[in-house]
Amino acid sequence: MILVTGGAGFIGSNFVLDWIEATGEPVLNLDALTYAGNLRNLASLQGDPRHVFVQGDICDRALLDRLFAEHRPRAVLHFAAESHVDRSIHGPGAFMRTNVEGTFTLLEAARQHWAALPADKKAAFRFHHVSTDEVYGSLAPDAPAFTEIHPYEPNSPYSASKAASDHLVRAWHHTYGLPVVTTNCSNNYGPYHFPEKLIPLLIVNALAGKPLPVYGDGQQVRDWLYVGDHCSAIRAVLANGRLGETYNIGGWNEQANIDIVHTVCKLLDELRPDPAGPYKRLITFVTDRPGHDRRYAIDARKIERELGWRPAETFASGIRKTLQWYLANADWVAEVQSGSYRDWVAQNYAARAPGA
Ligand code: NAD
Ligand code: TYD
């Protein structure tokens, strides 16, 4: 089996569902179930012996040692993280703990397990670290997209903590020989995306007739990838990625935030017209995020060339699928919104004056 950390979060739960469907191989899913972890995402696996869920913290070394000894996973897929930039600005401590100390603790537990394996299993073992393009910092408008050798220039507490975790993973390979691969992916979107991030927030706010908050001038550029394509890229790297290498994952799909907002509004006008008028009436410019990175863009040529990976979705097909999923899963949205999410929204937006 494989050990997935953070498998109840947005990308982790998409990955667990994708993995079991694509490979049938069992998953041991370790997740602390923070505000971002939601077992409802995995409801379709209830009673399926190929999914073993353990609620626990990646900083808990004794728990990790017990799980490695009991389940003897052949690979670790490390998704668990604090992942929201705005939260990292309000409270960076949790990011240092989970993303840095948690990755360190997991690396040490994996190293102890791996070191004691027989030679064939030792050679086949993998530690796959799931990371982000945000570690590279912000690009000028005309600069070439991030390659794997772009310098690390993280600008937010979130990206700094992820950069630190990437460095730890690299060092555990070079120093101890732990068989690692790291992937740095661009912004994901798709089903089960927690509505604190831009795209799901736009969808749920629009459907509720609430303002669609655009930070600053809305001209920040992100490179969007459908979450299912991130999952297939991770499978490709786990299977055939070269040890100690990093692979950038992206869909060659750069868009300014304001264009994303208009696309979501237009699609909703088509799929769920609002008698009160077009959704763009709800667009509200608000105070910018401090230290807001202007542009991310991924050069995905390495994974395409070495592993033959290509995204299956265009942005047009992926965003339509995503909107259709949210429209068909109003109960999922309602459940998410009834929890601590509401407190978070109040905390984040109260201090943002309209009309940035
Ligand atoms: P998420 O916030 O939706 O999910 C994170 C999961 O980790 C949650 O289920 C949470 O309960 C769990 N978790 C948090 N702290 C934990 C701890 N101490 N121990 C165990 N579990 C813990 O995040 P996501 O968007 O699914 O991102 C997953 C990974 O992918 C992260 O490492 C993130 O940096 C990376 N990534 C995300 C994106 C994106 O666009 N969302 C893009 C590139 C890379
Ligand atoms: P987000 O989904 O938080 O991802 P990240 O910060 O990791 O890229 O934000 C995507 C972009 O959208 C980012 O430039 C910030 C912007 N944004 C808004 O304009 N309004 C919002 O309410 C949110 C959450 C994000």
Side-chain angles (χ1 to χ4, degrees), residues 84-86 134 187 196-198 201 213-215 220 222 224 257 289 292 296 349:
H84 187 34
V85 173
D86 292 318
E134 303 193 25
N187 283 60
E196 64 180 353
K197 307 276 172 71
L198 180 66
L201 184 93
V214 178
Y215 295 171
Q220 303 82 7
R222 298 291 183 264
W224 296 93
N257 291 340
R289 169 188 283 172
H292 198 171
Y296 304 140
Y349 293 101

mmCIF file with all atom_site columns, all heavy atoms in Angstrom, residues 84-86 134 187 196-198 201 213-215 220 222 224 257 289 292 296 349, ligand 2:
data_model
loop_
_atom_site.group_PDB
_atom_site.id
_atom_site.type_symbol
_atom_site.label_atom_id
_atom_site.label_alt_id
_atom_site.label_comp_id
_atom_site.label_asym_id
_atom_site.label_entity_id
_atom_site.label_seq_id
_atom_site.pdbx_PDB_ins_code
_atom_site.Cartn_x
_atom_site.Cartn_y
_atom_site.Cartn_z
_atom_site.occupancy
_atom_site.B_iso_or_equiv
_atom_site.pdbx_formal_charge
_atom_site.auth_seq_id
_atom_site.auth_comp_id
_atom_site.auth_asym_id
_atom_site.auth_atom_id
_atom_site.pdbx_PDB_model_num
ATOM   1   N N   . HIS A 1 84  ? -3.234  27.795 2.810   1.00 0.00 ? 84  HIS A N   1
ATOM   2   C CA  . HIS A 1 84  ? -3.870  29.033 2.345   1.00 0.00 ? 84  HIS A CA  1
ATOM   3   C C   . HIS A 1 84  ? -3.022  30.260 2.700   1.00 0.00 ? 84  HIS A C   1
ATOM   4   O O   . HIS A 1 84  ? -2.774  30.546 3.871   1.00 0.00 ? 84  HIS A O   1
ATOM   5   C CB  . HIS A 1 84  ? -5.263  29.143 2.961   1.00 0.00 ? 84  HIS A CB  1
ATOM   6   C CG  . HIS A 1 84  ? -6.076  30.294 2.422   1.00 0.00 ? 84  HIS A CG  1
ATOM   7   N ND1 . HIS A 1 84  ? -5.991  30.736 1.118   1.00 0.00 ? 84  HIS A ND1 1
ATOM   8   C CD2 . HIS A 1 84  ? -6.989  31.089 3.000   1.00 0.00 ? 84  HIS A CD2 1
ATOM   9   C CE1 . HIS A 1 84  ? -6.820  31.755 0.936   1.00 0.00 ? 84  HIS A CE1 1
ATOM   10  N NE2 . HIS A 1 84  ? -7.433  31.992 2.065   1.00 0.00 ? 84  HIS A NE2 1
ATOM   11  N N   . VAL A 1 85  ? -2.606  30.996 1.672   1.00 0.00 ? 85  VAL A N   1
ATOM   12  C CA  . VAL A 1 85  ? -1.707  32.140 1.847   1.00 0.00 ? 85  VAL A CA  1
ATOM   13  C C   . VAL A 1 85  ? -2.289  33.157 2.838   1.00 0.00 ? 85  VAL A C   1
ATOM   14  O O   . VAL A 1 85  ? -1.588  33.648 3.724   1.00 0.00 ? 85  VAL A O   1
ATOM   15  C CB  . VAL A 1 85  ? -1.428  32.816 0.487   1.00 0.00 ? 85  VAL A CB  1
ATOM   16  C CG1 . VAL A 1 85  ? -0.638  34.105 0.674   1.00 0.00 ? 85  VAL A CG1 1
ATOM   17  C CG2 . VAL A 1 85  ? -0.688  31.863 -0.446  1.00 0.00 ? 85  VAL A CG2 1
ATOM   18  N N   . ASP A 1 86  ? -3.590  33.481 2.696   1.00 0.00 ? 86  ASP A N   1
ATOM   19  C CA  . ASP A 1 86  ? -4.171  34.501 3.592   1.00 0.00 ? 86  ASP A CA  1
ATOM   20  C C   . ASP A 1 86  ? -4.128  34.046 5.044   1.00 0.00 ? 86  ASP A C   1
ATOM   21  O O   . ASP A 1 86  ? -3.852  34.837 5.945   1.00 0.00 ? 86  ASP A O   1
ATOM   22  C CB  . ASP A 1 86  ? -5.610  34.816 3.174   1.00 0.00 ? 86  ASP A CB  1
ATOM   23  C CG  . ASP A 1 86  ? -5.665  35.537 1.832   1.00 0.00 ? 86  ASP A CG  1
ATOM   24  O OD1 . ASP A 1 86  ? -4.832  36.426 1.610   1.00 0.00 ? 86  ASP A OD1 1
ATOM   25  O OD2 . ASP A 1 86  ? -6.519  35.195 1.001   1.00 0.00 ? 86  ASP A OD2 1
ATOM   26  N N   . GLU A 1 134 ? 4.697   28.329 -5.770  1.00 0.00 ? 134 GLU A N   1
ATOM   27  C CA  . GLU A 1 134 ? 4.848   29.589 -5.032  1.00 0.00 ? 134 GLU A CA  1
ATOM   28  C C   . GLU A 1 134 ? 6.221   29.718 -4.390  1.00 0.00 ? 134 GLU A C   1
ATOM   29  O O   . GLU A 1 134 ? 6.630   30.822 -4.021  1.00 0.00 ? 134 GLU A O   1
ATOM   30  C CB  . GLU A 1 134 ? 3.725   29.735 -3.998  1.00 0.00 ? 134 GLU A CB  1
ATOM   31  C CG  . GLU A 1 134 ? 2.364   29.653 -4.663  1.00 0.00 ? 134 GLU A CG  1
ATOM   32  C CD  . GLU A 1 134 ? 1.194   30.083 -3.802  1.00 0.00 ? 134 GLU A CD  1
ATOM   33  O OE1 . GLU A 1 134 ? 1.386   30.869 -2.876  1.00 0.00 ? 134 GLU A OE1 1
ATOM   34  O OE2 . GLU A 1 134 ? 0.072   29.631 -4.097  1.00 0.00 ? 134 GLU A OE2 1
ATOM   35  N N   . ASN A 1 187 ? -1.510  26.526 -9.449  1.00 0.00 ? 187 ASN A N   1
ATOM   36  C CA  . ASN A 1 187 ? -2.811  26.579 -8.750  1.00 0.00 ? 187 ASN A CA  1
ATOM   37  C C   . ASN A 1 187 ? -3.771  25.526 -9.296  1.00 0.00 ? 187 ASN A C   1
ATOM   38  O O   . ASN A 1 187 ? -4.009  25.466 -10.496 1.00 0.00 ? 187 ASN A O   1
ATOM   39  C CB  . ASN A 1 187 ? -3.463  27.949 -8.952  1.00 0.00 ? 187 ASN A CB  1
ATOM   40  C CG  . ASN A 1 187 ? -2.839  29.015 -8.087  1.00 0.00 ? 187 ASN A CG  1
ATOM   41  O OD1 . ASN A 1 187 ? -1.646  29.285 -8.184  1.00 0.00 ? 187 ASN A OD1 1
ATOM   42  N ND2 . ASN A 1 187 ? -3.647  29.637 -7.249  1.00 0.00 ? 187 ASN A ND2 1
ATOM   43  N N   . GLU A 1 196 ? -12.443 28.817 0.536   1.00 0.00 ? 196 GLU A N   1
ATOM   44  C CA  . GLU A 1 196 ? -11.655 29.971 0.992   1.00 0.00 ? 196 GLU A CA  1
ATOM   45  C C   . GLU A 1 196 ? -10.709 30.386 -0.126  1.00 0.00 ? 196 GLU A C   1
ATOM   46  O O   . GLU A 1 196 ? -10.163 31.476 -0.101  1.00 0.00 ? 196 GLU A O   1
ATOM   47  C CB  . GLU A 1 196 ? -10.827 29.603 2.225   1.00 0.00 ? 196 GLU A CB  1
ATOM   48  C CG  . GLU A 1 196 ? -9.773  28.540 1.934   1.00 0.00 ? 196 GLU A CG  1
ATOM   49  C CD  . GLU A 1 196 ? -8.922  28.135 3.122   1.00 0.00 ? 196 GLU A CD  1
ATOM   50  O OE1 . GLU A 1 196 ? -9.038  28.758 4.178   1.00 0.00 ? 196 GLU A OE1 1
ATOM   51  O OE2 . GLU A 1 196 ? -8.147  27.174 2.969   1.00 0.00 ? 196 GLU A OE2 1
ATOM   52  N N   . LYS A 1 197 ? -10.490 29.505 -1.104  1.00 0.00 ? 197 LYS A N   1
ATOM   53  C CA  . LYS A 1 197 ? -9.604  29.782 -2.234  1.00 0.00 ? 197 LYS A CA  1
ATOM   54  C C   . LYS A 1 197 ? -10.434 30.415 -3.351  1.00 0.00 ? 197 LYS A C   1
ATOM   55  O O   . LYS A 1 197 ? -11.662 30.263 -3.386  1.00 0.00 ? 197 LYS A O   1
ATOM   56  C CB  . LYS A 1 197 ? -8.946  28.488 -2.728  1.00 0.00 ? 197 LYS A CB  1
ATOM   57  C CG  . LYS A 1 197 ? -8.243  27.676 -1.631  1.00 0.00 ? 197 LYS A CG  1
ATOM   58  C CD  . LYS A 1 197 ? -6.841  28.163 -1.370  1.00 0.00 ? 197 LYS A CD  1
ATOM   59  C CE  . LYS A 1 197 ? -6.224  27.494 -0.152  1.00 0.00 ? 197 LYS A CE  1
ATOM   60  N NZ  . LYS A 1 197 ? -5.878  26.108 -0.293  1.00 0.00 ? 197 LYS A NZ  1
ATOM   61  N N   . LEU A 1 198 ? -9.757  31.102 -4.270  1.00 0.00 ? 198 LEU A N   1
ATOM   62  C CA  . LEU A 1 198 ? -10.466 31.993 -5.190  1.00 0.00 ? 198 LEU A CA  1
ATOM   63  C C   . LEU A 1 198 ? -11.645 31.341 -5.923  1.00 0.00 ? 198 LEU A C   1
ATOM   64  O O   . LEU A 1 198 ? -12.779 31.830 -5.840  1.00 0.00 ? 198 LEU A O   1
ATOM   65  C CB  . LEU A 1 198 ? -9.495  32.598 -6.207  1.00 0.00 ? 198 LEU A CB  1
ATOM   66  C CG  . LEU A 1 198 ? -10.169 33.538 -7.213  1.00 0.00 ? 198 LEU A CG  1
ATOM   67  C CD1 . LEU A 1 198 ? -10.722 34.779 -6.526  1.00 0.00 ? 198 LEU A CD1 1
ATOM   68  C CD2 . LEU A 1 198 ? -9.217  33.942 -8.325  1.00 0.00 ? 198 LEU A CD2 1
ATOM   69  N N   . LEU A 1 201 ? -14.578 30.015 -3.830  1.00 0.00 ? 201 LEU A N   1
ATOM   70  C CA  . LEU A 1 201 ? -15.188 31.154 -3.121  1.00 0.00 ? 201 LEU A CA  1
ATOM   71  C C   . LEU A 1 201 ? -16.095 31.946 -4.063  1.00 0.00 ? 201 LEU A C   1
ATOM   72  O O   . LEU A 1 201 ? -17.207 32.350 -3.705  1.00 0.00 ? 201 LEU A O   1
ATOM   73  C CB  . LEU A 1 201 ? -14.094 32.067 -2.550  1.00 0.00 ? 201 LEU A CB  1
ATOM   74  C CG  . LEU A 1 201 ? -14.609 33.228 -1.712  1.00 0.00 ? 201 LEU A CG  1
ATOM   75  C CD1 . LEU A 1 201 ? -14.659 32.847 -0.238  1.00 0.00 ? 201 LEU A CD1 1
ATOM   76  C CD2 . LEU A 1 201 ? -13.741 34.465 -1.867  1.00 0.00 ? 201 LEU A CD2 1
ATOM   77  N N   . PRO A 1 213 ? -15.066 39.026 -3.975  1.00 0.00 ? 213 PRO A N   1
ATOM   78  C CA  . PRO A 1 213 ? -13.958 39.911 -3.605  1.00 0.00 ? 213 PRO A CA  1
ATOM   79  C C   . PRO A 1 213 ? -12.740 39.714 -4.504  1.00 0.00 ? 213 PRO A C   1
ATOM   80  O O   . PRO A 1 213 ? -12.223 38.608 -4.625  1.00 0.00 ? 213 PRO A O   1
ATOM   81  C CB  . PRO A 1 213 ? -13.635 39.492 -2.160  1.00 0.00 ? 213 PRO A CB  1
ATOM   82  C CG  . PRO A 1 213 ? -14.217 38.126 -1.988  1.00 0.00 ? 213 PRO A CG  1
ATOM   83  C CD  . PRO A 1 213 ? -15.235 37.894 -3.050  1.00 0.00 ? 213 PRO A CD  1
ATOM   84  N N   . VAL A 1 214 ? -12.306 40.799 -5.135  1.00 0.00 ? 214 VAL A N   1
ATOM   85  C CA  . VAL A 1 214 ? -11.111 40.770 -5.983  1.00 0.00 ? 214 VAL A CA  1
ATOM   86  C C   . VAL A 1 214 ? -10.043 41.593 -5.275  1.00 0.00 ? 214 VAL A C   1
ATOM   87  O O   . VAL A 1 214 ? -10.234 42.789 -5.028  1.00 0.00 ? 214 VAL A O   1
ATOM   88  C CB  . VAL A 1 214 ? -11.409 41.368 -7.376  1.00 0.00 ? 214 VAL A CB  1
ATOM   89  C CG1 . VAL A 1 214 ? -10.152 41.371 -8.235  1.00 0.00 ? 214 VAL A CG1 1
ATOM   90  C CG2 . VAL A 1 214 ? -12.536 40.600 -8.049  1.00 0.00 ? 214 VAL A CG2 1
ATOM   91  N N   . TYR A 1 215 ? -8.924  40.965 -4.943  1.00 0.00 ? 215 TYR A N   1
ATOM   92  C CA  . TYR A 1 215 ? -7.860  41.664 -4.230  1.00 0.00 ? 215 TYR A CA  1
ATOM   93  C C   . TYR A 1 215 ? -7.139  42.642 -5.164  1.00 0.00 ? 215 TYR A C   1
ATOM   94  O O   . TYR A 1 215 ? -6.746  42.267 -6.284  1.00 0.00 ? 215 TYR A O   1
ATOM   95  C CB  . TYR A 1 215 ? -6.808  40.687 -3.697  1.00 0.00 ? 215 TYR A CB  1
ATOM   96  C CG  . TYR A 1 215 ? -7.272  39.708 -2.629  1.00 0.00 ? 215 TYR A CG  1
ATOM   97  C CD1 . TYR A 1 215 ? -6.423  38.672 -2.250  1.00 0.00 ? 215 TYR A CD1 1
ATOM   98  C CD2 . TYR A 1 215 ? -8.504  39.814 -1.997  1.00 0.00 ? 215 TYR A CD2 1
ATOM   99  C CE1 . TYR A 1 215 ? -6.795  37.763 -1.266  1.00 0.00 ? 215 TYR A CE1 1
ATOM   100 C CE2 . TYR A 1 215 ? -8.885  38.909 -1.015  1.00 0.00 ? 215 TYR A CE2 1
ATOM   101 C CZ  . TYR A 1 215 ? -8.036  37.889 -0.653  1.00 0.00 ? 215 TYR A CZ  1
ATOM   102 O OH  . TYR A 1 215 ? -8.397  36.984 0.313   1.00 0.00 ? 215 TYR A OH  1
ATOM   103 N N   . GLN A 1 220 ? -3.312  40.160 -10.989 1.00 0.00 ? 220 GLN A N   1
ATOM   104 C CA  . GLN A 1 220 ? -2.342  39.109 -10.635 1.00 0.00 ? 220 GLN A CA  1
ATOM   105 C C   . GLN A 1 220 ? -2.631  37.879 -11.507 1.00 0.00 ? 220 GLN A C   1
ATOM   106 O O   . GLN A 1 220 ? -3.788  37.543 -11.766 1.00 0.00 ? 220 GLN A O   1
ATOM   107 C CB  . GLN A 1 220 ? -2.457  38.725 -9.152  1.00 0.00 ? 220 GLN A CB  1
ATOM   108 C CG  . GLN A 1 220 ? -2.267  39.881 -8.187  1.00 0.00 ? 220 GLN A CG  1
ATOM   109 C CD  . GLN A 1 220 ? -3.529  40.704 -8.002  1.00 0.00 ? 220 GLN A CD  1
ATOM   110 O OE1 . GLN A 1 220 ? -4.588  40.372 -8.485  1.00 0.00 ? 220 GLN A OE1 1
ATOM   111 N NE2 . GLN A 1 220 ? -3.394  41.817 -7.291  1.00 0.00 ? 220 GLN A NE2 1
ATOM   112 N N   . ARG A 1 222 ? -2.215  33.806 -12.304 1.00 0.00 ? 222 ARG A N   1
ATOM   113 C CA  . ARG A 1 222 ? -1.970  32.452 -11.800 1.00 0.00 ? 222 ARG A CA  1
ATOM   114 C C   . ARG A 1 222 ? -2.082  31.487 -12.983 1.00 0.00 ? 222 ARG A C   1
ATOM   115 O O   . ARG A 1 222 ? -2.723  31.779 -13.982 1.00 0.00 ? 222 ARG A O   1
ATOM   116 C CB  . ARG A 1 222 ? -2.989  32.067 -10.698 1.00 0.00 ? 222 ARG A CB  1
ATOM   117 C CG  . ARG A 1 222 ? -2.927  32.975 -9.447  1.00 0.00 ? 222 ARG A CG  1
ATOM   118 C CD  . ARG A 1 222 ? -1.631  32.749 -8.697  1.00 0.00 ? 222 ARG A CD  1
ATOM   119 N NE  . ARG A 1 222 ? -1.520  33.513 -7.462  1.00 0.00 ? 222 ARG A NE  1
ATOM   120 C CZ  . ARG A 1 222 ? -0.904  34.688 -7.353  1.00 0.00 ? 222 ARG A CZ  1
ATOM   121 N NH1 . ARG A 1 222 ? -0.400  35.283 -8.426  1.00 0.00 ? 222 ARG A NH1 1
ATOM   122 N NH2 . ARG A 1 222 ? -0.782  35.276 -6.181  1.00 0.00 ? 222 ARG A NH2 1
ATOM   123 N N   . TRP A 1 224 ? -3.472  27.989 -13.948 1.00 0.00 ? 224 TRP A N   1
ATOM   124 C CA  . TRP A 1 224 ? -4.464  27.081 -13.364 1.00 0.00 ? 224 TRP A CA  1
ATOM   125 C C   . TRP A 1 224 ? -4.425  25.685 -13.979 1.00 0.00 ? 224 TRP A C   1
ATOM   126 O O   . TRP A 1 224 ? -4.361  25.539 -15.195 1.00 0.00 ? 224 TRP A O   1
ATOM   127 C CB  . TRP A 1 224 ? -5.862  27.677 -13.505 1.00 0.00 ? 224 TRP A CB  1
ATOM   128 C CG  . TRP A 1 224 ? -6.015  28.951 -12.723 1.00 0.00 ? 224 TRP A CG  1
ATOM   129 C CD1 . TRP A 1 224 ? -5.814  30.221 -13.181 1.00 0.00 ? 224 TRP A CD1 1
ATOM   130 C CD2 . TRP A 1 224 ? -6.349  29.076 -11.340 1.00 0.00 ? 224 TRP A CD2 1
ATOM   131 N NE1 . TRP A 1 224 ? -6.015  31.132 -12.157 1.00 0.00 ? 224 TRP A NE1 1
ATOM   132 C CE2 . TRP A 1 224 ? -6.350  30.451 -11.020 1.00 0.00 ? 224 TRP A CE2 1
ATOM   133 C CE3 . TRP A 1 224 ? -6.662  28.155 -10.325 1.00 0.00 ? 224 TRP A CE3 1
ATOM   134 C CZ2 . TRP A 1 224 ? -6.646  30.928 -9.743  1.00 0.00 ? 224 TRP A CZ2 1
ATOM   135 C CZ3 . TRP A 1 224 ? -6.961  28.635 -9.060  1.00 0.00 ? 224 TRP A CZ3 1
ATOM   136 C CH2 . TRP A 1 224 ? -6.944  30.010 -8.785  1.00 0.00 ? 224 TRP A CH2 1
ATOM   137 N N   . ASN A 1 257 ? -6.498  37.212 -12.440 1.00 0.00 ? 257 ASN A N   1
ATOM   138 C CA  . ASN A 1 257 ? -7.623  36.908 -11.544 1.00 0.00 ? 257 ASN A CA  1
ATOM   139 C C   . ASN A 1 257 ? -8.940  37.487 -12.044 1.00 0.00 ? 257 ASN A C   1
ATOM   140 O O   . ASN A 1 257 ? -9.979  36.829 -11.997 1.00 0.00 ? 257 ASN A O   1
ATOM   141 C CB  . ASN A 1 257 ? -7.337  37.455 -10.133 1.00 0.00 ? 257 ASN A CB  1
ATOM   142 C CG  . ASN A 1 257 ? -6.219  36.704 -9.449  1.00 0.00 ? 257 ASN A CG  1
ATOM   143 O OD1 . ASN A 1 257 ? -5.889  35.574 -9.821  1.00 0.00 ? 257 ASN A OD1 1
ATOM   144 N ND2 . ASN A 1 257 ? -5.626  37.318 -8.435  1.00 0.00 ? 257 ASN A ND2 1
ATOM   145 N N   . ARG A 1 289 ? -3.888  41.783 -0.837  1.00 0.00 ? 289 ARG A N   1
ATOM   146 C CA  . ARG A 1 289 ? -3.159  40.917 0.093   1.00 0.00 ? 289 ARG A CA  1
ATOM   147 C C   . ARG A 1 289 ? -1.756  41.491 0.276   1.00 0.00 ? 289 ARG A C   1
ATOM   148 O O   . ARG A 1 289 ? -1.110  41.845 -0.725  1.00 0.00 ? 289 ARG A O   1
ATOM   149 C CB  . ARG A 1 289 ? -3.099  39.534 -0.554  1.00 0.00 ? 289 ARG A CB  1
ATOM   150 C CG  . ARG A 1 289 ? -2.190  38.544 0.104   1.00 0.00 ? 289 ARG A CG  1
ATOM   151 C CD  . ARG A 1 289 ? -2.065  37.267 -0.754  1.00 0.00 ? 289 ARG A CD  1
ATOM   152 N NE  . ARG A 1 289 ? -3.209  36.394 -0.648  1.00 0.00 ? 289 ARG A NE  1
ATOM   153 C CZ  . ARG A 1 289 ? -3.395  35.312 -1.411  1.00 0.00 ? 289 ARG A CZ  1
ATOM   154 N NH1 . ARG A 1 289 ? -2.517  34.992 -2.346  1.00 0.00 ? 289 ARG A NH1 1
ATOM   155 N NH2 . ARG A 1 289 ? -4.451  34.546 -1.254  1.00 0.00 ? 289 ARG A NH2 1
ATOM   156 N N   . HIS A 1 292 ? 1.495   40.472 -2.053  1.00 0.00 ? 292 HIS A N   1
ATOM   157 C CA  . HIS A 1 292 ? 0.808   39.650 -3.061  1.00 0.00 ? 292 HIS A CA  1
ATOM   158 C C   . HIS A 1 292 ? 1.690   39.399 -4.288  1.00 0.00 ? 292 HIS A C   1
ATOM   159 O O   . HIS A 1 292 ? 2.054   40.341 -4.989  1.00 0.00 ? 292 HIS A O   1
ATOM   160 C CB  . HIS A 1 292 ? -0.466  40.399 -3.475  1.00 0.00 ? 292 HIS A CB  1
ATOM   161 C CG  . HIS A 1 292 ? -1.478  39.559 -4.151  1.00 0.00 ? 292 HIS A CG  1
ATOM   162 N ND1 . HIS A 1 292 ? -2.740  40.024 -4.432  1.00 0.00 ? 292 HIS A ND1 1
ATOM   163 C CD2 . HIS A 1 292 ? -1.436  38.290 -4.615  1.00 0.00 ? 292 HIS A CD2 1
ATOM   164 C CE1 . HIS A 1 292 ? -3.423  39.079 -5.038  1.00 0.00 ? 292 HIS A CE1 1
ATOM   165 N NE2 . HIS A 1 292 ? -2.643  38.020 -5.169  1.00 0.00 ? 292 HIS A NE2 1
ATOM   166 N N   . TYR A 1 296 ? 2.559   33.922 -11.351 1.00 0.00 ? 296 TYR A N   1
ATOM   167 C CA  . TYR A 1 296 ? 3.177   32.592 -11.357 1.00 0.00 ? 296 TYR A CA  1
ATOM   168 C C   . TYR A 1 296 ? 2.942   31.990 -12.738 1.00 0.00 ? 296 TYR A C   1
ATOM   169 O O   . TYR A 1 296 ? 1.864   32.163 -13.321 1.00 0.00 ? 296 TYR A O   1
ATOM   170 C CB  . TYR A 1 296 ? 2.522   31.631 -10.355 1.00 0.00 ? 296 TYR A CB  1
ATOM   171 C CG  . TYR A 1 296 ? 2.472   32.073 -8.915  1.00 0.00 ? 296 TYR A CG  1
ATOM   172 C CD1 . TYR A 1 296 ? 1.323   31.829 -8.149  1.00 0.00 ? 296 TYR A CD1 1
ATOM   173 C CD2 . TYR A 1 296 ? 3.550   32.688 -8.291  1.00 0.00 ? 296 TYR A CD2 1
ATOM   174 C CE1 . TYR A 1 296 ? 1.258   32.194 -6.814  1.00 0.00 ? 296 TYR A CE1 1
ATOM   175 C CE2 . TYR A 1 296 ? 3.487   33.049 -6.957  1.00 0.00 ? 296 TYR A CE2 1
ATOM   176 C CZ  . TYR A 1 296 ? 2.337   32.809 -6.221  1.00 0.00 ? 296 TYR A CZ  1
ATOM   177 O OH  . TYR A 1 296 ? 2.268   33.165 -4.896  1.00 0.00 ? 296 TYR A OH  1
ATOM   178 N N   . TYR A 1 349 ? -12.291 38.957 5.937   1.00 0.00 ? 349 TYR A N   1
ATOM   179 C CA  . TYR A 1 349 ? -12.834 40.036 5.116   1.00 0.00 ? 349 TYR A CA  1
ATOM   180 C C   . TYR A 1 349 ? -13.256 41.274 5.904   1.00 0.00 ? 349 TYR A C   1
ATOM   181 O O   . TYR A 1 349 ? -13.408 42.347 5.335   1.00 0.00 ? 349 TYR A O   1
ATOM   182 C CB  . TYR A 1 349 ? -13.984 39.517 4.231   1.00 0.00 ? 349 TYR A CB  1
ATOM   183 C CG  . TYR A 1 349 ? -13.445 38.544 3.210   1.00 0.00 ? 349 TYR A CG  1
ATOM   184 C CD1 . TYR A 1 349 ? -13.575 37.178 3.380   1.00 0.00 ? 349 TYR A CD1 1
ATOM   185 C CD2 . TYR A 1 349 ? -12.703 39.001 2.125   1.00 0.00 ? 349 TYR A CD2 1
ATOM   186 C CE1 . TYR A 1 349 ? -13.026 36.288 2.484   1.00 0.00 ? 349 TYR A CE1 1
ATOM   187 C CE2 . TYR A 1 349 ? -12.140 38.130 1.217   1.00 0.00 ? 349 TYR A CE2 1
ATOM   188 C CZ  . TYR A 1 349 ? -12.308 36.768 1.404   1.00 0.00 ? 349 TYR A CZ  1
ATOM   189 O OH  . TYR A 1 349 ? -11.750 35.905 0.515   1.00 0.00 ? 349 TYR A OH  1
HETATM 190 P P1  . TYD B 2 .   ? -5.829  31.626 -3.832  1.00 0.00 ? 2   TYD B P1  1
HETATM 191 O O1  . TYD B 2 .   ? -6.930  30.778 -4.371  1.00 0.00 ? 2   TYD B O1  1
HETATM 192 O O2  . TYD B 2 .   ? -5.838  31.985 -2.383  1.00 0.00 ? 2   TYD B O2  1
HETATM 193 O O3  . TYD B 2 .   ? -4.447  30.912 -4.235  1.00 0.00 ? 2   TYD B O3  1
HETATM 194 P P2  . TYD B 2 .   ? -2.919  31.452 -4.127  1.00 0.00 ? 2   TYD B P2  1
HETATM 195 O O4  . TYD B 2 .   ? -2.882  32.671 -3.280  1.00 0.00 ? 2   TYD B O4  1
HETATM 196 O O5  . TYD B 2 .   ? -2.238  30.292 -3.469  1.00 0.00 ? 2   TYD B O5  1
HETATM 197 O O6  . TYD B 2 .   ? -2.489  31.700 -5.530  1.00 0.00 ? 2   TYD B O6  1
HETATM 198 O O7  . TYD B 2 .   ? -5.801  32.973 -4.650  1.00 0.00 ? 2   TYD B O7  1
HETATM 199 C C1  . TYD B 2 .   ? -5.648  32.968 -6.052  1.00 0.00 ? 2   TYD B C1  1
HETATM 200 C C2  . TYD B 2 .   ? -5.526  34.401 -6.497  1.00 0.00 ? 2   TYD B C2  1
HETATM 201 O O8  . TYD B 2 .   ? -6.778  35.062 -6.257  1.00 0.00 ? 2   TYD B O8  1
HETATM 202 C C3  . TYD B 2 .   ? -4.496  35.169 -5.702  1.00 0.00 ? 2   TYD B C3  1
HETATM 203 O O9  . TYD B 2 .   ? -3.832  36.097 -6.599  1.00 0.00 ? 2   TYD B O9  1
HETATM 204 C C4  . TYD B 2 .   ? -5.301  35.933 -4.673  1.00 0.00 ? 2   TYD B C4  1
HETATM 205 C C5  . TYD B 2 .   ? -6.616  36.176 -5.386  1.00 0.00 ? 2   TYD B C5  1
HETATM 206 N N1  . TYD B 2 .   ? -7.823  36.216 -4.521  1.00 0.00 ? 2   TYD B N1  1
HETATM 207 C C6  . TYD B 2 .   ? -8.733  37.275 -4.666  1.00 0.00 ? 2   TYD B C6  1
HETATM 208 O O10 . TYD B 2 .   ? -8.552  38.182 -5.492  1.00 0.00 ? 2   TYD B O10 1
HETATM 209 N N2  . TYD B 2 .   ? -9.845  37.277 -3.868  1.00 0.00 ? 2   TYD B N2  1
HETATM 210 C C7  . TYD B 2 .   ? -10.082 36.316 -2.928  1.00 0.00 ? 2   TYD B C7  1
HETATM 211 O O11 . TYD B 2 .   ? -11.098 36.391 -2.199  1.00 0.00 ? 2   TYD B O11 1
HETATM 212 C C8  . TYD B 2 .   ? -9.143  35.217 -2.810  1.00 0.00 ? 2   TYD B C8  1
HETATM 213 C C9  . TYD B 2 .   ? -9.349  34.131 -1.803  1.00 0.00 ? 2   TYD B C9  1
HETATM 214 C C10 . TYD B 2 .   ? -8.031  35.227 -3.646  1.00 0.00 ? 2   TYD B C10 1
#
